Amino acid sequence: MGKRLVITEKPSVARDIAAALGGFTEGEESFESEDFVVTWAVGHLLELAEPKEYDDKWKSWSIKLLPILPEAFQIKPKDGHKKRLAYIKKLGKQKDTTGVINACDAGREGELIFRRIVEYCELLDLPQERLWLQSMTKQAIRDAFDSLRPGTELDNLADAAYLRSVGDWLVGMNATRALTQRLKSGRVSQSWSAGRVQTPTLNLIVRREREILAHEPRPYWELLADFTHSEGDGHEWQGRYHDAEAAKASDDKEMKPTRLFDRALVDKLMAELVNAKVGKASEKRKKSKQKPPLPFDLTSLQREANSRYGISAKRTLAAAQRLYEGLKVITYPRTDSRHLPDDYGPVVDQLLTELQGLPKGDWAEHADIAARIQAAGPENLGKVLDSSKVTDHNAIVPTGNPLTEPLNGDNLRVFDLVVRQFLASLMGPATWATVERFVAMDVGEVLGGKPARFRTTARSLEVAGFLEALGKTEGDGTQLPALMPGHDEANDVQVQHDQTVVEDKETRPPGRFSEAQLLRMMETAGEQLDDDELSDAMKERGLGTPATRADTIEGLIRKQYVNRISSKLTPTAKAMRLIDVLERVDVDGLASPRLTGEWEHALHEVANGERSRSDVEKALYQYTETITKSLTDFEYEELYETEAPIGTCPECGGRVYEQVRGYICENNQGKDQGCPFILWKERYNRYIDRRLAIAVFNAPEHSYGPVLWFKDLQGTQFLDGNVKLERVIKEVEGKDDKIDWVLQVDLGKGEKNTDPEEVISAEAFPCPGEHEGCESCVVVETTHRWVCRCVYDGKQKTGPVLPRKVCQREMEDHEAAAFFGEAAKTELIEDFISKRGNLFKAFLYRKETGKHGFEFLPRGGDKKKDEAGEAKPKRKSTAKKSTAKKSAPRKSAASASSAKKSTSPKKTKRTTSKKAADADAPRTRTPPPSRDSDSKKATRRRLRTSSRSGPSSKTTAVSRIGKNPNS
C-alpha cells in the first residue's frame, strides 16, 4: 500500500500531525505510519537566484546592465538547506510514495514554500493535495485530513505568491543596485536598498519627520477659569476658553478653539475678566453608546499590544506563534480577518464553556465573564459571524484548550489580550454619560460684543457592557454634577466666577509614529483612518500583509533606515536622503504608499481569480523598467537646480548650493581643489535639513540653537544642543594644511530610553546543557537577550548568552535556537555591520565561554573564526598607494570619488577648535554643479545603453518557475 508524503512548514507542526493522527514512528527527520510520511521544511528553503546565477555579467553592479529582467526566474537552495531538500526529495522518490500533501501554513507564503519544494525536488508528477489548517488542536487536524483539497484549487493563490516573490525581486534588485551605484560614497560601503513595500513604509516615517523638522514653535495662550455653582450645591469646576467660530474661520492649521495667538487680545480679555464676578452657565447631558469590537486580526492585535504594553510588532507575532504552535491555545495568528464563519455558533458556545475552566487566580475574572455571557446568551453574533469576511483564516480567538503551563512575559500579555477581545466581541455596547457645559462671561466689546465662553466636558461610564471584559468598571471617567438636578439641559444658570489664569504655551510638532500608529498607516496604505469599518475597506490595498508588516519594520531598522527610540520610530539621515532623491527623480510609485497598496490589491485579485497572472506579471516588468530608468538616468546637477543658494560661503564668499550629500560651495572643485567648504547633511545621527542649514548660515557668527533631535551614537536618546559652523585647520605631514568646516555641536541632556529588561518567554527553547556544571537549565528570552538560566551546585547562575542585537543586526528566533542548539552555530548571516560601518557576512557560533563569535566563509582556505567575537576589518596593504581610484562610468558632482589615501603616518593639530578631531565629515570633495544650462546639456552623460543582451543560456542547478511575459 502506498504512502503520501506530508510536507509541513515547521518541525513542530509535523510533530503535532503525527500526534493527532497516531500510529507514527519517529525516523531520522520524519514521522512514518502505514499511510503517511511526515517531514518538514524550515520556512523558506528556496529563494530566487541572484543575478549572477543567470549570467556572469550580472556579477557586476554596473548600472549599464540595468534593468535586470530574466527571461525565466530560477530558484536555488538557501544557504544551509541543501541537505534538507535532498532528504525531502529522497522521501518523494521512494517507490511507495503515491502523492504529496501541502501541510505548510494555510496562506500565500505557505503555498509558495510548498510549490517551490515540489518544483525543485522534481515531485510535480505526484498527485498534490492541500491540508488547510486553521487550528492546531488534534480534532482540527483530524478534520482537516478528512477534507483534503485538491492542490489545483489553490493555483490562484500560488500565482499570487509567485507574483509577490517576483515583484519583490524585480523592484528590490534593480532599485537597490541603481540607488547603491548612484548614492554610494567613500565613507561607508553599504547598499542603499529599496523595495516594493519597504520604501513606501519608510516614506510614511520620513514624511512625518519632515513635518517635525519644519515645525517652528509659536507662542500661544490659553485661559483657564474657576467657577462655583453658588446657588446650587456649591460644586466647583474649571472651564477653558473656547471659541469654535474663530477656529473654524481661520486658515491657520495650528488654530484650535482654545488657543489665542494674539497677546494683546489676551491682555484685553484679562482686563475685563478681573472685574467679572458672575457668568451664565448652560449645559447638555446625553447618553452615548460605544459598540463592541470585533475579535483581533494580527495587525489589530499588534497595535493593541504596542499601545498598551509597548511590545513591538515582531515580539507580538512571536508570542502569538508560540501560543498557536506550542501551547495551542489560540487560532492561527497570521490572519487579516476579524470575523468568524457563519457556522461557528456552536464553537463559540463551546469556547465559552472551556474558558470557564481557566486556572483561578489571574484568570478568575475571565472565567466569570465567560460564564455570564453564556448564561445570558452571546450578543453581537450577527456581526462577528460573517463568512463573507473570512479570508484564508478567521479571526484570532482562543481554541479552548487548557493551559498546560503558567504563562509569563509576552505570552501572558498576548493571550490575555486575545481572550479579553474575544469576550468583549460577544457582549453588549457600553453606555457613557457625557456632559458639555459652557459659561458665558461678559467682556464688553473685546470680542465685538460677544461673551467669552469657557467650556468644560466630562464623561463617565454608566453601563460597562463589553468594556468590562477590557478591564473597565462602571463609574470610570470624570463626573460633573448637574446644574439642575433631574434635567438633561440647563440654560442661563448664574454661577460665580472666582478667577481666570493665563497659561503660556507653545505649539508642538506632530509626534513620531509608534509601531501601533505605523501599523495602522500600513494597513490603510497611508490613509489617516480611525474608523475600523473604513479601515477594513482599505485592507486589500494596504502595505504588505499582516504576516509581513512586522518584518518590514524590523528590516528598516536593520538596514539603518530607522531607529527605535523611546518606543517611537524615527528615520535616519540616510532615509531622509533616500526619499528626497526618489522624489526628485520622479519615482513616485516606489515611495507612494497608496500606489504600492494598489499592487497588493492586484495580488488579492489574482488570488481570488479576478485577474490573470500574466496581466499582473507584465505590469510588474513594465513598472520595473520605468523606475529603473528614472533611477539610472537622472543627472545630479538637475536635482537641485531650481533651489536657491542657502547662503554665502564663509571660506571664499561664493554661493553655497544644496546637493545630495551636503551643502557645497560653488567653487569647490573636488578633493583638495578650489574652495574646501562643504556642510554634510548628517551630524550626530541628525539630518541637517535645508531649513536648519539656512538658519546656521544666517545666524551671527554661524552660531545657532538650541537645535532639537540629535541622537547619541547608541540611539538610546534624543539630545538637543547649540551648533556652530567652525573653520578647522589641520597640519598634514608633507602636504599643505588641511582646511575643514565642521558643524560643532554642544550637546545638552536628553531623556534616555531606559528600556528595562523584561522577560518575553521564560522558556524560549531547551538548552543543550553542554556547558560546565550545568544540572538543569532553560533558555530565557528577554527584551535584551537570550540567556541560559542554569543550576550549578544547586545555585542559579547564568550560562551561554546571545544579545538580541549583534553588530547592529537584530537576531531572529530561529538563529538563537541554532546558537543554543547542538550545532552551536547559525546559518550564514549576510547583513552584519562592522564598527567601521561595513556590511559583512559570517556564521555566528557559540564559544566554549558561552559568548558569541564569528566564523567567516573561506577565501581560498579554511573558515576562520574570530575569537574576539567582533568582526575584524580587512587588513590593508602596507604598500604605499600612489595612483588615484578610477572613477566610475557615471560619477556625478555629488558622488565624486576621492583618491586613495597614502599610508604614510599623518600628524594633525587643532588650531581653531578643540572638537575638530571629533568631526565625522569625510575627506571627499565634490565639485559644484554647473549653473549654466547649456554647459550642463553639453556635458550630460548617458549610462543606459540602447540595447541589452538577454540572460545567458548556460545551464544552472536551479529550477525555472516562470517566464518573462515580455520575452
Side-chain angles (χ1 to χ4, degrees):
M1 182 177 177
K3 300 181 181 182
R4 286 176 287 178
L5 174 63
V6 182
I7 301 175
T8 70
E9 193 165 323
K10 304 175 187 70
S12 60
V13 179
R15 193 170 294 108
D16 291 339
I17 288 175
L21 299 183
F24 282 83
T25 57
E26 186 170 356
E28 180 184 357
E29 290 182 307
S30 61
F31 298 91
E32 188 168 355
S33 71
E34 292 183 358
D35 300 314
F36 303 102
V37 176
V38 184
T39 191
W40 54 86
V42 187
H44 285 272
L45 300 182
L46 295 140
E47 62 187 353
L48 291 178
E50 294 288 316
K52 62 184 179 182
E53 301 286 344
Y54 300 88
D55 196 311
D56 285 340
K57 70 180 180 182
W58 283 336
K59 290 180 180 179
S60 167
W61 278 44
S62 170
I63 58 177
K64 290 181 179 180
L65 303 174
L66 299 180
I68 298 173
L69 302 172
E71 288 181 353
F73 278 93
Q74 303 172 356
I75 53 176
K76 67 171 185 177
K78 297 182 74 173
D79 289 327
H81 288 312
K82 286 185 178 179
K83 183 179 178 182
R84 174 110 288 272
L85 286 163
Y87 184 75
I88 294 173
K89 183 175 182 178
K90 182 182 78 172
L91 294 177
K93 292 295 185 180
Q94 289 178 352
K95 292 182 179 181
D96 62 345
T97 302
T98 59
V100 59
I101 298 174
N102 178 5
C104 295
D105 288 353
R108 196 168 71 187
E109 291 308 300
E111 202 65 29
L112 183 65
I113 290 170
F114 175 79
R115 301 274 177 141
R116 282 181 172 174
I117 289 173
V118 296
E119 177 89 12
Y120 182 85
C121 294
E122 301 175 350
L123 305 179
L124 290 174
D125 56 330
L126 293 174
Q128 297 180 29
E129 294 174 289
R130 185 49 153 122
L131 179 74
W132 198 259
L133 277 176
Q134 294 185 310
S135 175
M136 290 304 296
T137 65
K138 289 185 178 181
Q139 188 58 50
I141 292 172
R142 288 192 286 265
D143 290 345
F145 267 93
D146 289 338
S147 55
L148 291 171
R149 303 165 64 179
T152 53
E153 281 189 11
L154 284 302
D155 283 350
N156 289 336
L157 186 63
D159 286 343
Y162 163 81
L163 290 169
R164 193 281 307 160
S165 176
V166 165
D168 287 348
W169 193 98
L170 287 170
V171 174
M173 196 67 67
N174 285 285
T176 294
R177 289 191 170 207
L179 286 167
T180 299
Q181 290 302 98
R182 300 307 309 276
L183 299 181
K184 69 179 181 181
S185 69
R187 300 175 67 187
V188 180
S189 58
Q190 58 178 277
S191 67
W192 287 71
S193 65
R196 186 181 58 86
V197 174
Q198 165 192 306
T199 306
T201 301
L202 181 62
N203 192 20
L204 293 172
I205 304 173
V206 167
R207 285 193 329 214
R208 176 55 60 91
E209 190 73 10
R210 287 175 177 171
E211 294 178 45
I212 294 170
L213 296 181
H215 179 75
E216 295 184 8
R218 294 168 56 196
Y220 70 90
W221 298 268
E222 292 189 351
L223 307 182
L224 190 63
D226 294 331
F227 299 102
T228 303
H229 189 197
S230 55
E231 295 183 3
D233 59 2
H235 74 267
E236 301 174 347
W237 74 95
Q238 289 185 320
R240 194 170 296 276
Y241 178 83
H242 190 274
D243 190 344
E245 293 181 1
K248 187 175 181 179
S250 175
D251 294 330
D252 188 345
K253 293 182 179 180
E254 293 184 315
M255 185 63 167
K256 293 183 178 179
T258 60
R259 293 180 176 180
L260 292 164
F261 286 95
D262 186 346
R263 180 69 209 201
L265 176 59
V266 171
D267 293 338
K268 290 177 183 178
L269 286 170
M270 288 298 295
E272 294 292 335
L273 290 169
V274 166
N275 299 316
K277 300 302 181 183
V278 296
K280 293 182 178 181
S282 303
E283 72 177 13
K284 290 185 178 181
R285 293 175 175 271
K286 62 181 180 179
K287 307 290 176 63
S288 62
K289 290 188 179 294
Q290 183 178 353
K291 296 184 295 184
L294 292 166
F296 286 128
D297 63 2
L298 177 57
T299 302
S300 58
L301 174 61
Q302 289 170 320
R303 292 201 328 256
E304 184 65 20
N306 183 255
S307 298
R308 183 170 296 195
Y309 300 119
I311 302 175
S312 70
K314 179 183 177 183
R315 281 173 55 189
T316 301
L317 176 56
Q321 283 291 135
R322 290 192 294 269
L323 293 169
Y324 164 69
E325 290 180 14
L327 299 174
K328 302 174 182 60
V329 292
I330 67 171
T331 56
Y332 186 78
R334 296 171 182 260
T335 176
D336 62 355
S337 175
R338 300 189 66 175
H339 294 79
L340 301 173
D342 293 337
D343 59 358
Y344 220 72
V347 178
V348 168
D349 187 66
Q350 181 183 350
L351 290 179
L352 291 172
T353 300
E354 299 294 345
L355 290 176
Q356 294 171 50
L358 285 170
K360 303 304 179 184
D362 292 341
W363 304 104
E365 179 187 356
H366 307 68
D368 177 62
I369 293 174
R372 284 189 280 122
I373 293 173
Q374 190 173 48
E379 298 186 51
N380 207 35
L381 275 179
K383 187 174 182 180
V384 173
L385 306 184
D386 188 346
S387 294
S388 67
K389 294 183 179 179
V390 175
T391 52
D392 296 340
H393 310 278
N394 55 244
I396 305 171
V397 296
T399 61
N401 286 338
L403 287 172
T404 56
E405 62 183 60
L407 299 182
N408 53 67
D410 287 356
N411 288 0
L412 173 63
R413 297 186 183 108
V414 172
F415 184 64
D416 178 68
L417 288 176
V418 170
V419 173
R420 287 182 180 276
Q421 188 84 354
F422 171 68
L423 294 173
S425 71
L426 303 175
M427 300 174 72
T431 302
W432 293 88
T434 63
V435 57
E436 183 179 40
R437 178 181 295 177
F438 284 96
V439 177
M441 301 291 297
D442 184 7
V443 290
E445 296 300 319
V446 175
L447 298 175
K450 297 188 303 181
R453 287 161 56 86
F454 291 82
R455 180 175 181 256
T456 305
T457 61
R459 188 176 81 147
S460 61
L461 187 59
E462 192 169 86
V463 178
F466 76 89
L467 288 175
E468 182 183 359
L470 302 183
K472 292 188 178 294
T473 58
E474 293 175 5
D476 284 355
T478 57
Q479 297 183 357
L480 190 64
L483 290 172
M484 295 180 64
H487 295 272
D488 291 337
E489 292 191 19
N491 294 294
D492 296 335
V493 176
Q494 184 169 305
V495 297
Q496 179 181 325
H497 170 231
D498 299 323
Q499 68 169 347
T500 298
V501 296
V502 179
E503 294 183 338
D504 297 339
K505 296 188 175 183
E506 278 189 342
T507 58
R508 297 176 61 84
R512 291 177 172 86
F513 290 131
S514 65
E515 282 198 45
Q517 293 167 320
L518 182 61
L519 286 167
R520 170 61 74 111
M521 296 290 282
M522 294 175 73
E523 187 178 42
T524 59
E527 298 296 316
Q528 295 277 9
L529 300 177
D530 294 324
D531 186 275
D532 284 341
E533 292 184 3
L534 290 177
S535 297
D536 287 343
M538 287 295 297
K539 277 187 176 179
E540 290 188 357
R541 288 173 168 80
L543 295 177
T545 66
T548 61
R549 286 172 189 144
D551 286 339
T552 298
I553 294 172
E554 295 299 327
L556 290 172
I557 295 171
R558 189 167 59 249
K559 294 169 184 174
Q560 296 185 297
Y561 282 128
V562 172
N563 289 325
R564 186 187 281 119
I565 301 179
S566 300
S567 76
K568 298 293 184 179
L569 300 172
T570 177
T572 63
K574 176 183 177 183
M576 302 292 285
R577 289 171 53 202
L578 172 66
I579 299 300
D580 182 44
V581 169
L582 292 179
E583 290 175 343
R584 291 178 183 275
V585 300
D586 296 325
V587 186
D588 298 331
L590 190 57
S592 168
R594 176 175 284 274
L595 193 56
T596 304
E598 292 295 333
W599 277 115
E600 196 65 45
H601 179 59
L603 298 182
H604 278 280
E605 290 181 318
V606 172
N608 294 332
E610 300 166 4
R611 195 169 175 184
S612 71
R613 165 174 154 168
S614 61
D615 176 42
V616 174
E617 189 172 13
K618 182 176 181 180
L620 278 171
Y621 276 87
Q622 292 171 344
Y623 176 59
T624 302
E625 288 185 299
T626 299
I627 64 169
T628 306
K629 186 176 189 303
S630 297
L631 292 174
T632 55
D633 282 5
F634 74 86
E635 302 291 343
Y636 274 99
E637 59 267 28
E638 294 176 351
L639 296 184
Y640 299 91
E641 65 181 352
T642 61
E643 303 284 1
I646 67 165
T648 302
C649 176
E651 177 71 26
C652 71
R655 294 169 296 179
V656 176
Y657 290 97
E658 182 176 4
Q659 287 194 356
V660 172
R661 294 169 56 209
Y663 306 92
I664 187 169
C665 176
E666 62 182 340
N667 296 319
N668 186 319
Q669 300 299 319
K671 181 175 175 61
D672 299 329
Q673 297 182 31
C675 178
F677 182 84
I678 184 170
L679 171 63
W680 302 104
K681 282 187 174 178
E682 180 177 0
R683 189 73 167 128
Y684 282 102
N685 294 308
R686 188 199 195 276
Y687 181 66
I688 308 302
D689 59 302
R690 185 178 179 87
R691 184 194 65 81
L692 176 57
I694 292 173
V696 171
F697 270 87
N698 292 332
E701 298 183 356
H702 304 304
S703 180
Y704 182 77
V707 177
L708 305 177
W709 314 124
F710 291 104
K711 307 177 188 75
D712 65 354
L713 296 179
Q714 291 74 36
T716 60
Q717 59 183 325
F718 288 112
L719 302 168
D720 58 10
N722 296 311
V723 301
K724 186 174 183 180
L725 196 57
E726 293 188 354
R727 190 173 190 263
V728 177
I729 304 176
K730 294 181 180 179
E731 286 185 3
V732 182
E733 185 177 339
K735 295 184 179 181
D736 294 335
D737 290 345
K738 182 77 172 177
I739 298 174
D740 275 327
W741 281 86
V742 178
L743 188 66
Q744 304 289 10
V745 183
D746 181 15
L747 291 174
K749 294 183 178 180
E751 183 178 350
K752 193 162 187 176
N753 178 18
T754 54
D755 191 18
E757 185 172 22
E758 297 180 7
V759 173
I760 294 175
S761 176
E763 189 172 351
F765 33 77
C767 181
E770 297 173 352
H771 38 283
E772 182 180 356
C774 178
E775 298 172 8
S776 62
C777 59
V778 67
V779 177
V780 177
E781 181 183 3
T782 77
T783 50
H784 294 175
R785 57 185 175 163
W786 287 270
V787 58
C788 180
R789 300 295 189 194
C790 311
V791 177
Y792 291 0
D793 300 326
K795 296 181 180 179
Q796 184 171 328
K797 297 184 179 181
T798 297
V801 60
L802 176 66
R804 293 199 74 88
K805 185 176 285 189
V806 177
C807 285
Q808 303 187 46
R809 185 197 188 273
E810 196 84 14
M811 302 304 297
E812 301 288 343
D813 292 343
H814 69 275
E815 293 163 348
F819 177 85
F820 284 96
E822 293 182 5
K825 187 174 74 171
T826 69
E827 300 170 4
L828 184 68
I829 298 173
E830 300 192 357
D831 47 0
F832 290 120
I833 299 176
S834 72
K835 292 179 179 179
R836 298 190 176 190
N838 296 319
L839 284 169
F840 70 94
K841 61 177 69 174
F843 300 89
L844 200 69
Y845 74 97
R846 189 179 76 240
K847 300 180 182 180
E848 292 182 0
T849 61
K851 296 183 179 180
H852 65 276
F854 294 96
E855 183 178 298
F856 299 97
L857 284 172
R859 181 176 291 179
D862 295 332
K863 295 178 182 177
K864 298 179 181 179
K865 288 186 177 180
D866 166 28
E867 295 298 334
E870 290 290 343
K872 294 181 178 179
K874 299 174 183 177
R875 288 190 178 274
K876 295 184 178 180
S877 171
T878 56
K880 187 172 181 179
K881 298 177 177 61
S882 58
T883 58
K885 288 183 180 179
K886 185 178 180 180
S887 60
R890 177 180 181 121
K891 194 61 81 169
S892 68
S895 61
S897 176
S898 62
K900 288 187 177 179
K901 296 179 181 179
S902 168
T903 55
S904 310
K906 295 182 180 180
K907 181 179 180 181
T908 61
K909 181 176 75 175
R910 292 184 184 142
T911 60
T912 304
S913 169
K914 293 181 179 180
K915 298 179 182 178
D918 296 329
D920 62 355
R923 299 295 167 250
T924 314
R925 296 301 177 201
T926 57
S930 169
R931 296 287 157 178
D932 186 308
S933 60
D934 292 335
S935 173
K936 178 173 59 184
K937 291 177 181 178
T939 59
R940 183 173 299 165
R941 292 168 292 176
R942 297 295 178 191
L943 289 175
R944 283 167 47 106
T945 57
S946 58
S947 61
R948 296 183 178 87
S949 56
S952 71
S953 57
K954 66 176 183 177
T955 303
T956 64
V958 292
S959 304
R960 296 180 177 267
I961 61 173
K963 292 187 176 181
N964 180 346
N966 296 327
S967 62

